[in-house]
């Protein structure tokens, strides 16, 4: 399918989705969000794809936020619809049946930081800058930050970031736990690809079940979370991947997981 605002490449089980509006630092308008949503639906059903990497075109920005020119024209109910669109699309990423790595290659502001937060793992280049500047524009974050940031970092830190509109360096974002690693800009994609390859070499159903157990568990009390984990553990034992994983270990060879 032809895309106007994104690029989608696939190679050896790894898909790279690039937000491709570099003239506006990859800002998100409704069409771009819809394309990200459609791409996620496609990737969810593509059994060849085991890991997804999300990044921004160019070397200056991951995504510099929701598109301010687009938002300037919105009436209140249209703004609510735009917020719901962003939330729905980002939830598709969070609930995708495979891991999503954000390769944060520059500014990740507002909706860009929220997009990164919806991914499972965030890797930042040294030049990345992350923040939620919405209040400096007289609006609040509307694509999930008031909910996801408090779950990712401690609530006091999240409130400071959301109230002050401060931009955080990649290293400061790593210190608060918002990004996992900071790497030189030239090595960002290589680092993310290497991580994606290590994940892709593991049992895809096991990885999917692990993502489900973690995401669902965050919404449960600990005891219910343990029961859920045990249920999922049982499901893993019904797969051919489990047979392959165990026999390859015993045969001292590399497993060839089929995702069945
Ligand atoms: N929406 C629409 N356009 C945006 C944008 C956004 N969120 N962020 C950047 N752009 C556009 C700029 O308007 C500019 O367009 P122009 O060339 O037609 O003037 C182009 O992208 C390049 O950005 P510019 O501001 O010239 O780059 P810079 O290096 O001087 O500054 C930023 C970079 C990210 C600090 C600055 O662009 C910025 O503050 N952007 C808005 C960030 C924001 O508030 N996001 C949250 C929105 S809710």
């Amino acid at each position: 399918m032809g895309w106007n605002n994104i690029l989608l490449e696939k190679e050896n089980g790894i898909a790279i989705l690039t937000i491709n509006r570099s003239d506006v630092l990859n800002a998100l308008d409704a069409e771009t969000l819809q394309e990200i949503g459609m791409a996620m639906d496609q990737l969810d059903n593509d059994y060849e794809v085991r890991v997804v990497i999300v990044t921004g075109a160019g070397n200056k920005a991951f995504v510099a936020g929701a598109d301010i020119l687009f938002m300037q024209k919105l009436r209140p109910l249209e703004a609510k619809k735009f917020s719901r669109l962003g939330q729905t699309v980002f939830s598709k990423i969070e609930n995708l049946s495979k891991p999503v790595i954000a390769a944060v290659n520059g500014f990740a502001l507002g909706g860009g930081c929220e997009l990164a937060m919806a991914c499972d793992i965030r890797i930042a280049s040294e030049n990345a800058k992350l923040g939620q500047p919405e209040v400096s524009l007289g609006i609040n974050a509307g694509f999930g930050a008031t909910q996801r940031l408090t779950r990712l970092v401690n609530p006091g830190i999240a409130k400071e970031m959301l109230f002050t509109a401060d931009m955080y360096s990649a290293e400061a974002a790593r210190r608060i736990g918002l990004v996992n690693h900071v790497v030189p800009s030239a090595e960002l994609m290589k680092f993310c690809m290497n991580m994606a390859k290590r994940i892709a070499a593991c049992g895809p159903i096991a990885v999917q079940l692990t993502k489900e157990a973690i995401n669902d568990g965050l919404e449960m009390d600990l005891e219910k979370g343990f029961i859920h984990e045990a249920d999922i553990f049982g499901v893993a034992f019904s797969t051919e991947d489990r047979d392959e994983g165990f026999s390859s270990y015993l045969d001292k060879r590399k497993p060839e997981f089929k995702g069945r």
Side-chain angles (χ1 to χ4, degrees), residues 8 10 15 17 39-46 49 52 98:
L8 191 56
K10 288 179 244 172
L17 187 159
M40 287 299 151
D41 287 341
Q42 241 184 54
L43 293 168
D44 207 37
N45 293 312
D46 187 335
V49 172
V52 178
K98 33 208 113 190

Side-chain angles (χ1 to χ4, degrees), residues 23-25 27 60 64-69 71 107 109-110 133-134 137 139 167:
D23 51 332
V24 288
L25 305 187
K60 193 169 167 185
D67 188 320
I68 296 172
L69 280 183
M71 286 195 294
F107 291 110
L109 302 174
E134 288 87 346
L137 294 167
I139 58 172
M167 266 194 227

Side-chain angles (χ1 to χ4, degrees), residues 47-48 50 200-205 240-242 244-245 253 255-260:
Y47 292 100
E48 284 178 5
R50 294 191 176 182
C202 297
I205 300 176
E240 286 178 27
D241 283 354
R242 172 265 192 187
E244 170 64 8
R253 61 176 172 81
E256 278 181 42
F257 293 115
K258 302 238 163 37
R260 288 201 288 258

Side-chain angles (χ1 to χ4, degrees), residues 49-225:
V49 172
R50 294 191 176 182
V51 184
V52 178
I53 298 174
V54 176
T55 194
N59 52 16
K60 193 169 167 185
F62 175 68
V63 165
D67 188 320
I68 296 172
L69 280 183
F70 175 84
M71 286 195 294
Q72 197 185 18
K73 303 183 198 87
L74 298 181
R75 307 297 306 152
L77 286 179
E78 293 166 335
K80 180 177 172 181
K81 218 170 137 190
F82 187 52
S83 168
R84 291 297 293 146
L85 173 65
Q87 290 170 351
T88 308
V89 168
F90 290 0
S91 289
K92 277 181 199 275
I93 298 176
E94 187 167 67
N95 297 319
L96 198 79
S97 57
K98 33 208 113 190
V100 185
I101 300 172
V104 182
N105 58 324
F107 291 110
L109 302 174
C113 193
E114 289 167 306
L115 170 60
M117 281 193 266
C119 299
D120 298 298
I121 292 167
R122 285 152 292 285
I123 312 298
S125 59
E126 279 169 348
N127 70 328
K129 291 229 164 19
L130 297 92
Q132 296 291 155
E134 288 87 346
V135 291
S136 70
L137 294 167
I139 58 172
N140 59 276
F143 294 168
T146 62
Q147 308 306 308
R148 278 199 185 93
L149 191 56
T150 46
R151 285 163 167 82
L152 266 177
V153 304
N154 89 49
I157 300 282
K159 284 177 178 165
E160 181 178 334
M161 197 165 171
L162 284 157
F163 294 167
T164 61
D166 284 349
M167 266 194 227
Y168 286 50
S169 68
E171 187 47 39
R174 192 193 60 75
R175 274 200 301 273
I176 61 170
L178 184 53
V179 305
N180 293 30
H181 302 277
V182 179
V183 299
S185 304
E187 285 166 33
L188 178 66
M189 283 317 281
K190 197 170 133 206
F191 187 96
C192 292
M193 283 299 282
N194 277 339
M195 183 181 282
K197 280 181 195 158
R198 296 200 303 282
I199 297 170
C202 297
I205 300 176
V207 172
Q208 178 186 344
L209 293 173
T210 302
K211 177 167 171 173
E212 263 177 52
I214 294 170
N215 283 1
D216 295 347
L218 285 169
E219 307 300 325
M220 289 174 184
D221 67 47
L222 193 60
E223 232 3 87
K224 287 208 177 76

